[in-house]
Amino acid sequence: MSEGLEAIRAALACDPALYEGVVRTERAWEGTIFSVEHLEVELSDGSRAWREVVRHHGGAGVVAVRDGRVCLVRQYRVALGRMTLEIPAGKVDPSEPREVCAARELTEETGLIAERLELLTESYGAPGFTNEHTSVYLAHGLTQGEASLDEGEFLNVVWVPLEDALAAIRAGLIDDAKTVSGILAAKAYGML
């Protein structure tokens, strides 16, 4: 395969030999943050299979750096049963622009206000079973305001030297997908 973005676009084009056509959808569960569907799909060889898919509104996060330190939030994640370090982020409200969500979450969780947000990367955390899509932005022109956490939200803000954050990603200590992709993208693009 040749190099360049055109080769990557070609690799992402629909391939009838790999395509799965949805034959039937059954809503299995509906929650406030996501829903679960069972999909019957027809495979390229004509056989059928079932897929379980989590539908989610998605989220947005912000890489905020000041004086060579990246702003992370420290919180307990019950799904993992442990503490995590993550960039400030949250779920997108229905019909809310992603950049608005990112700015809102940055301020709510940390009190930081960004003069401008620049899109760094887009990611799907687990495309094998969910359509959850996260947009990650880089904050420019930070000023400090007041945090206002959501009811039932408990976290601490920590400022980690960028080089330590990169070492923690490599060591698997920072392992949240949006945080890893955001910090690495900003570094790779020469923005940090």
Side-chain angles (χ1 to χ4, degrees), residues 3 8 13-14 16 18 23 31 36-37 53 61 67 70 80 85 93-95 105 110-111 131 146 156 165 180-182:
E3 295 181 24
I8 292 171
C14 188
L18 301 175
V23 175
V36 178
E37 296 176 349
V53 177
D67 301 324
V70 64
L80 301 178
L85 289 173
D93 292 332
S95 76
E105 290 292 339
T110 69
N131 69 341
E146 290 293 319
N156 301 120
V180 171
S181 65

Side-chain angles (χ1 to χ4, degrees), residues 40-86:
E40 183 179 10
V41 298
E42 183 173 342
L43 306 176
S44 59
D45 66 0
S47 65
R48 292 196 176 181
W50 284 93
R51 303 290 185 245
E52 295 176 336
V53 177
V54 174
R55 302 287 183 196
H56 189 283
H57 292 296
V62 181
V63 175
V65 179
R66 185 170 58 199
D67 301 324
R69 294 176 177 271
V70 64
C71 180
L72 299 174
V73 295
R74 179 179 175 262
Q75 59 190 30
Y76 186 83
R77 292 297 197 179
V78 72
L80 301 178
R82 65 178 172 83
M83 300 297 294
T84 63
L85 289 173
E86 304 174 32

Side-chain angles (χ1 to χ4, degrees), residues 91 104-105 108-109 148-154:
K91 64 180 177 45
R104 174 179 51 77
E105 290 292 339
E108 284 178 4
E109 293 184 357
S148 60
L149 298 176
D150 291 334
E151 185 177 333
E153 184 175 36
F154 300 93

Side-chain angles (χ1 to χ4, degrees), residues 158-180:
V158 295
W159 289 89
V160 176
L162 179 59
E163 292 307 315
D164 292 350
L166 292 167
I169 289 170
R170 185 168 182 138
L173 299 172
I174 294 176
D175 55 4
D176 169 65
K178 68 185 170 302
T179 302
V180 171

